[in-house]
Amino acid sequence: MSFTAAVPVVPAALRPLPSGPSGAAAAYWESPAPYCLQTSLRILVRGTQDPTIRLGDGVAWLAFLTPEGPATLNLREEPVPAPGARIQARAWGPGARCALASVPDLLGEKDDWSGFDDEDFRAGLPRMVRETRRRNLSLRLPSTGRIMDSLIPVVLEQKVTVLEAYYAWRYLVTRYGTDAPGPAPAGMKAAPAPQTWRRIPSWDWHKARVDHSRSTTILRACSLASGLERLAGVPLGENLTSKLCSVPGIGAWSAAEITQRTHGAPDSVSVGDYHLAAYVGAALTGRRTDDAGMLKLLEPWRGHRQRVVRMIMLSGYRKPVYGPKLAPMDHRRR
């Protein structure tokens, strides 16, 4: 099967629709290129029981706070002639208008893969990456624009297993989050506002198995939340990264993980990740490597390094596993 490059992104207006079921604000988004909700938004999900998002085949539910209040956003793929895509968006709650306005960036409308899909650039990619891209033309990198909603779960993932981090996120959001408005799936919550995070007592951080270092970083960031949220409007680059890293406890790894979600960063590499360097090295050379080795391997594709990493992850490649897994730590009695 021949490779067909993605149609360049043509910004499309978010077209309003009459009020949907239960008084929902409604609109639809169209693209001349293919699009897949599940593949594109998967990076936003923190485990299968994440209370802030439910992602299924062709449908997504998201709950979050906006400047106008909490909102529930429902996204649903609608059948259209190939290769285009059409997503119907419905939103409920005081923040419904803001939620609908965020849809184009959330769906990756500005995420342009034309440079990556250029024939000359593609010729220099590893075969694994080329083949995976051919099978995943519908992937876009989302931009949520919600700094704190990305920063807090990223901090929870620092230096612990992903299962521990997912547990902490689920426990704290379920206990302190805002009920999702409208006909959202049972149990959905919007993540707490910064002032709510700051009121969480120490014993609930312990019950969530969050150590003092991570909780302190989150509380410190919440005290700076208004300034941090303004970073959503700062373009990708060293200035944005340095501003994020000016918060004690936020380093290069955390900044990369945050901007991959808030800005759809196409070149942001998570240096310092416990597994990533070994995984990328094994996938590209058959041998594990460290962060310096990973960056050297990815250097020919600078500008698109995160795209290359995403393609490797979507390829289904699994690196050989040696030795025991990292054991979860229990901070509840510490």
Side-chain angles (χ1 to χ4, degrees):
M1 182 181 295
S2 62
F3 179 96
T4 303
V7 179
V9 176
V10 178
L14 191 68
R15 308 182 192 282
L17 293 171
S19 295
S22 307
Y28 67 82
W29 175 86
E30 291 182 325
S31 169
Y35 183 84
C36 176
L37 278 171
Q38 191 167 41
T39 305
S40 299
L41 300 187
R42 187 182 303 162
I43 191 174
L44 305 180
V45 182
R46 310 287 180 172
T48 57
Q49 299 182 61
D50 186 341
T52 67
I53 183 169
R54 297 285 190 273
L55 191 57
D57 187 11
V59 62
W61 290 87
L62 300 92
F64 50 90
L65 299 182
T66 78
E68 296 181 359
T72 297
L73 179 64
N74 174 241
L75 302 169
R76 190 174 300 273
E77 295 174 6
E78 294 192 345
V80 294
R86 173 174 164 137
I87 306 294
Q88 178 172 296
R90 293 181 293 164
W92 296 263
R97 185 184 66 85
C98 287
L100 285 184
S102 73
V103 166
D105 285 345
L106 177 65
L107 297 180
E109 182 174 273
K110 298 175 184 175
D111 180 33
D112 187 358
W113 285 72
S114 58
F116 190 89
D117 292 334
D118 177 78
E119 185 174 353
D120 290 337
F121 184 87
R122 179 163 43 91
L125 291 169
R127 184 173 183 274
M128 170 195 293
V129 174
R130 293 198 307 270
E131 285 298 305
T132 305
R133 175 57 179 161
R134 181 181 63 80
R135 296 193 302 269
N136 290 275
L137 295 176
S138 55
L139 170 68
R140 303 271 185 93
L141 304 182
S143 300
T144 68
R146 301 192 305 275
I147 299 292
M148 296 304 294
D149 280 0
S150 293
L151 183 150
I152 291 171
V154 164
V155 173
L156 291 175
E157 292 175 4
Q158 292 177 350
K159 299 181 180 179
V160 297
T161 66
V162 70
L163 293 179
E164 289 178 273
Y166 289 168
Y167 173 84
W169 175 247
R170 182 174 71 252
Y171 177 90
L172 294 167
V173 173
T174 299
R175 192 168 181 84
Y176 292 99
T178 302
D179 290 340
M188 284 202 71
K189 299 263 190 175
Q195 59 268 28
T196 304
W197 284 107
R198 295 179 70 185
R199 291 197 296 266
I200 295 176
S202 59
W203 54 85
D204 266 340
W205 290 108
H206 285 290
K207 288 180 180 177
R209 306 172 191 170
V210 180
D211 60 86
H212 180 71
S213 175
R214 287 180 293 153
S215 63
T216 298
T217 298
I218 290 170
L219 296 176
R220 186 183 292 119
C222 287
S223 70
L224 304 169
S226 60
L228 288 171
E229 287 293 4
R230 288 195 291 272
L231 297 182
V234 175
L236 285 166
E238 292 184 6
N239 184 42
L240 173 60
T241 299
S242 67
K243 288 181 182 296
L244 286 170
C245 292
S246 69
V247 180
I250 302 295
W253 177 85
S254 297
E257 290 285 317
I258 292 165
T259 56
Q260 286 165 19
R261 295 161 174 82
T262 59
H263 289 68
D267 194 52
S268 183
V269 183
S270 302
V271 174
D273 189 272
Y274 187 77
H275 298 287
L276 185 63
Y279 176 76
V280 171
L284 295 181
T285 69
R287 299 184 302 275
R288 298 182 177 215
T289 189
D290 56 12
D291 284 330
M294 173 180 68
L295 292 177
K296 185 176 181 179
L297 288 171
L298 295 174
E299 181 60 29
W301 310 299
R302 178 176 286 275
H304 298 279
R305 291 177 297 176
Q306 176 59 205
R307 300 192 201 280
V308 173
V309 171
R310 292 294 301 279
M311 290 299 103
I312 295 172
M313 291 179 170
L314 283 170
S315 71
Y317 174 78
R318 296 292 181 268
K319 76 177 190 299
V321 177
Y322 305 100
K325 294 182 178 179
L326 179 66
M329 296 178 65
D330 192 341
H331 302 280
R332 289 173 293 179
R333 294 183 176 86
R334 292 173 182 260

